[in-house]
Amino acid sequence: MRSLRNIFRLGLKELWSLFRDPVLMALVAYTFTAAVYAVAHGVRTEVRNAAIAVVDENRSTVSNRVREAFLPPYFQRAALIGIEEMGPAMDQGRYSFVLHIPAGFEADLLAGNHPVLQLNVDATAMTLAGNGTAYVTRIVQDELAGFLSERGAQTALPASLVPRARFNPNLQSQWFFAVMQVIGNVTILAVVLSGAAVIREREHGTIEHLMVMPVTALEIMLSKIWANGLVIVAAAVLSLLLVVETLMGIPVPGSIGVFAAGAAIYLFSVTSLSIMLATFATTMPQFGLLAIPVFVVLYLLSGGVTPLEAMPEPLRSLMQLSPATHFTSFAQAVLYRGAGFPLVWKDLLAVICIGTVFLGLALGRFRKTMAAAR
């Protein structure tokens, strides 16, 4: 009981120190409000207002129909250009897509000769190029099928595929990025706040005060973990409720309570890692340089930005040792698909096991740091 009282009181001291730091409090507020909103509305993977041109050497009914099918908000009105303009226009970045319709296209189409269209894509904008190509292909196919159907040609396929999206039925990227930004920011802030708490003790000279108090290194560490974890979990929950659901109108079908419980378990793991990193640094700039590559790797390779299935097998196996990988899987299952504890307990168990290892390593380093300060 005495140890629990020490952990609780030291945690209150951590909260008081954090609340008195305007820079860190501003960082917490910005990360879970303005940053979430800006990324959700500023980063888009679907096609919006793409510049497209058509080289129409056929000048027929079907070619006009295809050109007029490119409409806002997905595309700008298709410009009509000559074949000699295509190369320079794409080199200058005026158009992301140029569709070339050859002469005699309509006659070959009606005769069943399978004519070929050429789509030139500016692939310097990688996401736009990939998604836009699929958009252009679908639009052209629909228009050609409609044109042939009106003239009595057989266009029906023996089977049709009807996709249905369970979450985000309109496939709006802001629905995905808003929630994923909250999930990713949990990792970033956990690393920053916990490490800053240790560095702050050194810079303010209060670590010497802790050394002469009847508290252990484990009690000091656990107090920093629960105090900073409480702030981050509360900020993440408020961000989901007030920013994502209320301000942006994005529904979260899963249980936020289950997410908060899982986030608390995850923060036990990642804050232990952060405290261990802080023992290798003596100043905040040093800690920042050390922490940046760590949380960037944790975030980018957790499976939220890039699917784990798309990674090389050695890297995919290595990332199973990262708590961020299991937390991302847990958070997506809960917030996107409404999963409960019976479906995600394996991810939480993995986070606990990895966190226990990090806690042991961090405790060893923290004890050495305190002994060196004597």
Side-chain angles (χ1 to χ4, degrees):
M1 292 300 298
R2 178 182 177 182
S3 179
L4 291 177
R5 286 196 299 269
N6 289 340
I7 294 172
F8 176 73
R9 290 167 180 168
L10 288 172
L12 293 180
K13 179 191 75 70
E14 286 297 322
L15 291 175
W16 179 248
S17 299
L18 177 61
F19 292 151
R20 293 183 61 187
D21 192 326
V23 175
L24 288 180
M25 289 304 298
L27 176 63
V28 173
Y30 169 80
T31 301
F32 284 107
T33 55
V36 174
Y37 185 87
V39 171
H41 284 271
V43 179
R44 293 183 179 272
T45 56
E46 68 266 24
V47 177
R48 280 292 185 275
N49 202 38
I52 186 170
V54 175
V55 177
D56 188 358
E57 296 183 328
N58 188 222
R59 303 286 177 158
S60 62
T61 302
V62 68
S63 63
N64 289 334
R65 178 170 180 162
V66 168
R67 179 164 59 88
E68 293 174 357
F70 297 103
L71 300 171
Y74 305 111
F75 295 93
Q76 300 176 14
R77 290 287 182 177
L80 186 62
I81 63 175
I83 187 65
E84 70 283 352
E85 300 178 64
M86 181 173 66
M90 297 201 72
D91 291 340
Q92 296 169 11
R94 290 163 50 194
Y95 303 109
S96 299
F97 306 94
V98 176
L99 181 64
H100 181 204
I101 303 176
F105 175 77
E106 182 177 299
D108 290 339
L109 183 67
L110 293 173
N113 294 331
H114 302 289
V116 176
L117 296 176
Q118 182 187 65
L119 178 63
N120 298 272
V121 182
D122 180 5
T124 56
M126 183 177 64
T127 301
L128 175 62
N131 294 340
T133 300
Y135 277 55
V136 173
T137 302
R138 180 61 180 271
I139 290 173
V140 171
Q141 288 177 343
D142 288 347
E143 293 303 318
L144 295 183
F147 173 78
L148 292 175
S149 178
E150 291 172 0
R151 282 156 179 76
Q154 181 66 31
T155 60
L157 297 176
S160 61
L161 178 66
V162 180
R164 292 177 180 174
R166 292 291 301 273
F167 174 78
N168 193 3
N170 294 324
L171 301 180
Q172 300 178 37
S173 59
Q174 67 181 31
W175 283 36
F176 171 78
F177 282 113
V179 176
M180 280 309 303
Q181 189 68 12
V182 174
I183 296 173
N185 287 347
V186 168
T187 299
I188 295 174
L189 268 189
V191 174
V192 172
L193 292 187
S194 302
V198 176
I199 301 298
R200 186 169 56 241
E201 300 282 9
R202 287 183 175 180
E203 292 182 340
H204 294 174
T206 54
I207 192 169
E208 288 81 3
H209 299 167
L210 293 174
M211 290 167 52
V212 299
M213 294 176 64
V215 294
T216 64
L218 179 60
E219 292 171 353
I220 297 173
M221 277 189 54
L222 291 178
S223 68
K224 296 183 183 299
I225 289 173
W226 84 255
N228 289 283
L230 176 63
V231 172
I232 296 171
V233 170
V237 170
L238 289 175
S239 180
L240 287 172
L241 292 175
L242 301 180
V243 179
V244 176
E245 287 193 324
T246 303
L247 181 61
M248 291 189 284
I250 299 173
V252 179
S255 170
I256 294 182
V258 174
F259 168 75
I265 296 174
Y266 169 66
L267 288 168
F268 153 74
S269 177
V270 76
T271 51
S272 299
L273 172 61
S274 175
I275 292 174
M276 182 177 65
L277 294 176
T279 61
F280 291 97
T282 56
T283 64
M284 278 301 296
Q286 287 182 356
F287 174 72
L289 292 174
L290 184 62
I292 287 174
V294 173
F295 64 65
V296 166
V297 170
L298 290 178
Y299 177 69
L300 294 180
L301 300 182
S302 65
V305 178
T306 302
L308 291 174
E309 294 78 7
M311 299 180 188
E313 178 60 34
L315 182 59
R316 185 163 66 248
S317 300
L318 179 63
M319 290 310 297
Q320 295 302 314
L321 302 178
S322 167
T325 301
H326 300 283
F327 175 66
T328 299
S329 175
F330 157 83
Q332 289 180 334
V334 172
L335 297 180
Y336 290 158
R337 299 187 291 273
F341 282 116
L343 296 178
V344 297
W345 67 269
K346 292 183 179 179
D347 286 319
L348 294 180
L349 179 61
V351 170
I352 293 173
C353 294
I354 297 171
T356 302
V357 175
F358 284 161
L359 180 64
L361 296 174
L363 182 59
R365 282 291 311 170
F366 193 66
R367 283 172 174 166
K368 290 182 181 179
T369 300
M370 293 186 66
R374 293 176 178 175

